[in-house]
Amino acid sequence: MKKAIIWDLDGTLWDACDRISLAWNDYCASQNEAIRFTADDCRSYCGKTLPQIARVVFPDRDPQWADRFIVALCDAECIPLAKEGGVLYPHEREILQKLHETYFMAIVSNCGLQYIESFFQGNNMGDFFDDYENAARTGLSKAENIRLVMERNSLSQAVYIGDTASDRQAALEAGLTFIHAAYGFGAVPEAAYRIQSMAELPDVLAQIWHA
C-alpha cells in the first residue's frame, strides 16, 4: 500500500495572494464597499475557515451578511485563478511529479468551493493529486477532513505538510506526522520536521518512514 502525502494549499503549494487581493478589490468596488485588501492581508487569512475570515474582516457587520460576502469574494477569486494560476515554488512541478510516482498525494485545505480546482486548472497541477477536500464542501474541521481523506482511500501511513501552527494542530489531531513548510506564510517553532524548500522533502520523508 502506498504511503501518503497530504498537503495544505496556501503557502505550501502556491502563493496566490497577489491575484486574490486584486480580485477581492475588484469585487468590493463593484459592490460599493470601501474596504480594500493587500496581498499580505490575504496571506494573514490563510488557514482560517471562511466564517473565521468573515469575523476578522467584518467584525462589526451582521454575521450572516459577512458570511455571504466572504463567500462571494472567494467565488470571485476563483475566476482569475482558474485562468492564470498562482505562483508556484521553485522546481515544484518536477518535484511533485517525482513524488507522485511513489506516494499517494492529496490536498486538504480550509478554502472555499472551487479553490482547489482553480489551483489544478490554473497551474495544470491536477495530475499530481489523487484526492482533495475542503472545509466549505464538508463543513468539517481540517483534522476531520484529513481523517476523511484517509478513510475513504484506505490510507494507513501519511504525513501532513503545511505552513502554519493550525496546520500542525490539525495534523496532530488527525494522528499524522507534521512537516512544516518553512518557506510558506507561518512560523511553527514546535515542528519536529521542517523543510526550507520542496527539494528537501524526499530526505525528510526518508527520515520519517525509515524510523
Side-chain angles (χ1 to χ4, degrees):
M1 184 179 296
K2 278 191 175 183
K3 297 179 176 70
I5 305 171
I6 305 178
W7 301 78
D8 172 51
L9 181 47
D10 289 308
T12 304
L13 287 169
W14 73 350
D15 182 351
C17 291
D18 284 323
R19 289 207 170 107
I20 290 171
S21 63
L22 292 173
W24 284 23
N25 290 339
D26 285 346
Y27 183 79
C28 287
S30 75
Q31 301 299 306
N32 295 317
E33 286 292 329
I35 190 170
R36 295 295 183 268
F37 302 91
T38 67
D40 283 339
D41 290 332
C42 294
R43 290 185 186 100
S44 73
Y45 308 145
C46 291
K48 295 179 172 63
T49 63
L50 301 194
Q52 288 170 338
I53 297 172
R55 301 291 86 75
V56 172
V57 176
F58 299 111
D60 301 322
R61 304 290 286 266
D62 174 73
Q64 291 184 338
W65 178 92
D67 287 343
R68 290 194 300 270
F69 201 86
I70 289 296
V71 169
L73 288 175
C74 291
D75 289 344
E77 76 194 13
C78 289
I79 297 170
L81 290 176
K83 293 179 180 178
E84 303 169 11
V87 177
L88 301 180
Y89 294 101
H91 310 295
E92 177 171 344
R93 191 177 306 278
E94 298 93 326
I95 292 167
L96 293 182
Q97 182 175 11
K98 186 66 175 177
L99 289 170
H100 195 222
E101 293 174 4
T102 302
Y103 302 108
F104 182 99
M105 302 237 288
I107 297 173
V108 172
S109 170
N110 279 338
C111 62
L113 297 175
Q114 298 302 312
Y115 188 73
I116 297 175
E117 292 90 337
S118 296
F119 167 71
F120 291 157
Q121 185 174 345
N123 288 95
N124 193 27
M125 302 295 278
D127 289 345
F128 304 137
F129 296 92
D130 305 292
D131 197 4
Y132 62 96
E133 198 51 88
N134 64 74
R137 184 161 68 176
T138 66
L140 300 175
S141 70
K142 181 169 281 188
E144 290 169 326
N145 278 326
I146 292 171
R147 287 194 292 264
L148 177 63
V149 167
M150 294 281 292
E151 290 166 3
R152 73 185 178 203
N153 293 287
S154 300
L155 302 172
S156 59
Q157 295 187 74
V159 298
Y160 188 75
I161 304 175
D163 65 316
T164 65
S166 61
D167 289 332
R168 175 179 178 270
Q169 184 60 37
L172 296 180
E173 289 177 11
L176 301 192
T177 298
F178 174 71
I179 300 173
H180 178 217
Y183 54 82
F185 301 158
V188 189
E190 304 87 356
Y193 298 95
R194 61 176 42 84
I195 54 175
Q196 300 295 335
S197 71
M198 280 193 187
E200 298 177 6
L201 183 56
D203 288 341
V204 172
L205 292 173
Q207 294 175 37
I208 292 170
W209 278 316
H210 177 73

